[in-house]
Structure formats: structure tokens, C-alpha cells
Amino acid sequence: NACHQGNYTNTPNTCAGCHLSDYNTSINPNHVALGIPNDCAMCHTTNPDWDPATFPIHNNYWVLSGAHAAIANDCAACHNGNYINTPNTCVGCHLAEYNSANNPDHNAAGFPTDCLACHSVNGWMPATFDHDNQYFPIYSGKHDGEWNQCAECHTTPGNFGLFSCIDCHEHDNPAELANMHEDVSGYQYNSQACFACHPDGED
């Protein structure tokens, strides 16, 4: 009677035929809102309480590739039992890694929280960094080939948000620089002033 209720004619022969109300009232996750197919057997077995469940169409919502492939079967690693409002941005899950990064210090340097700007889904390393377009041209223009270590300009250890324009051999003579800028009103011999007038590193 649980299924037939005394009527053995036209008894449903699909999962959803009997369990559509369970599908419609599911909230964690909300099957209807996410557009999950109502083919129950795709994720569930005939075990009671719908557990355990898999989610073979996860890549339709968030692709588990690269380093994420290793946790493809560990739902709790991201969801912790709650499938509602799971972050769908890199930093939504990796803000702790961003905040604790110290080589370089992402917060101090003011790096964007768009992880994919420098990293790939394969791992944190190797990473790329478009210093020229995001901050200051050092791989092109007059500064290309003029430096070997980041510390030559970023002279405060661990803080890439600070920089020096006046410690390299071409700019370390205040008197010479003053003569070169004698026609510049308000000229100052400090790094912030240098950058304010020469944001692209050119004359």
C-alpha cells in the first residue's frame, strides 16, 4: 500500500513518479532551484534517507579539475554539510590562503583577490604575475634588465607594497637628481614623488 494504495493500475515506474514531493521540497541542496534532474538514481541509491549520495554532474556547476580533482569525492572539504550558498569564487574558499601568503605578502602588496589572475587551478605554483600592467613596468621599458632581485626596489623585507626608486645606482645621487629636475616645480627627492611623475618608468 505504501506505493500502490490499493490501486495496481498505472503504478509509477520511475523514482520521481513516487518521490516528486521529496524532490520539490529538498532544501540542502534545493534541487528545483539548481535545476538538478529528477532522475533520483543518478545521485541516490535505494538506501533509506537518501544517503549516501553522489553528485556526478558537479562539473555542470563548478568544474573540479586540476588540484580540485583530488577532493572531488570529499564533499565536506568545501561544503561542510551545507550545500546552500557555497562560494563560487576562488577567494570564497581560499581567503585564508590569501591572508596568510607571505612570499609575497598579498595583503601588504594590495594584490587582487582574483586568484586566477596569477594562479591556475592546478596549484599555487607556478604562478604568473603581470607586474608591468598591474603595477609598474619592470620587464619592459627602461627598467627591463636593470634589476636582478625584487629586494633591489622592495627594500622592506616582506612588504611588497613599499618600494624605493632612489636606492639604485642611477638615482642615488640627490644633488645630481636635483640638477636634472631644476625646472620641475615642487620637485622632491623621494620614491613616492618619483612614482607620481613617472608611473610608467619613462622620462
Side-chain angles (χ1 to χ4, degrees), residues 60-178:
N60 293 357
Y61 299 89
W62 183 269
V63 178
L64 292 171
S65 60
H68 297 113
I71 60 170
N73 295 316
D74 183 10
C75 305
C78 293
H79 299 286
N80 295 313
N82 184 356
Y83 298 87
I84 302 171
N85 297 323
T86 302
N88 59 3
T89 62
C90 300
V91 73
C93 286
H94 295 292
L95 183 60
E97 285 89 347
Y98 174 92
N99 287 332
S100 62
N102 55 27
N103 186 26
D105 186 319
H106 290 29
N107 263 319
F111 286 178
T113 55
D114 175 13
C115 306
L116 289 175
C118 300
H119 305 280
S120 77
V121 295
N122 294 320
W124 299 119
M125 297 295 289
T128 58
F129 180 44
D130 190 0
H131 196 291
D132 283 24
N133 288 316
Q134 288 182 275
Y135 295 96
F136 186 81
I138 58 174
Y139 296 103
S140 61
K142 290 193 172 184
H143 292 81
D144 183 24
E146 296 297 321
W147 59 279
N148 294 306
Q149 300 292 328
C150 301
E152 293 176 40
C153 295
H154 297 286
T155 54
T156 303
N159 190 341
F160 289 83
L162 298 178
F163 59 88
S164 172
C165 300
I166 57 178
D167 287 309
C168 69
H169 66 92
E170 290 187 22
H171 305 140
D172 62 359
N173 188 322
E176 181 180 340
L177 267 292

